[in-house]
Amino acid sequence: MTNINSVTELYMIVKDADLLRRLIETKGFTARQLSRAMGWSSHSYLNRILAGQVRSVSPDSAVKLAYLLQIPVDLVFVARVSGETRQTVGRKSA
């Protein structure tokens, strides 16, 4: 008997931090305003994303940012899945 256990995680990679910065400016947001709208306690997380220090965000954050900026999610983010697949082989008892 073979069991396959898969542990996966979905995350969103920032494709272009400079484009994201320009879109934020074009929409008239400051980092503080957008961070507040995102529900983040500080604007430093957004600044780290824009500086390229943070390269991935949660899917919820990517969707919310895209919604607030009124852009398609895939304009700035690309989805990635990580995880491991483990295979367990065992015997059936008689």
Side-chain angles (χ1 to χ4, degrees):
M1 176 178 193
T2 303
N3 293 326
I4 297 177
N5 297 322
S6 180
V7 179
T8 59
E9 181 181 354
L10 176 67
Y11 59 97
M12 305 297 280
I13 298 290
V14 180
K15 290 195 294 191
D16 188 342
D18 289 331
L19 174 60
L20 181 57
R21 180 182 299 104
R22 288 192 308 270
L23 289 166
I24 291 169
E25 291 171 0
T26 300
K27 298 295 180 172
F29 282 105
T30 65
R32 287 183 194 271
Q33 290 169 331
L34 188 55
S35 295
R36 200 171 306 129
M38 289 293 297
W40 296 333
S41 59
S42 170
H43 65 284
S44 66
Y45 181 64
L46 179 58
N47 286 334
R48 289 184 10 239
I49 293 169
L50 298 176
Q53 297 169 345
V54 173
R55 297 185 37 92
S56 65
V57 298
S58 71
D60 290 341
S61 293
V63 169
K64 192 169 183 178
L65 270 170
Y67 173 78
L68 290 169
L69 296 174
Q70 300 174 338
I71 60 169
V73 175
D74 62 353
L75 182 64
V76 179
F77 300 99
V78 63
R80 290 288 185 251
V81 177
S82 72
E84 347 177 310
T85 302
R86 294 188 184 125
Q87 191 172 34
T88 307
V89 179
R91 286 192 205 181
K92 260 188 160 173
S93 56

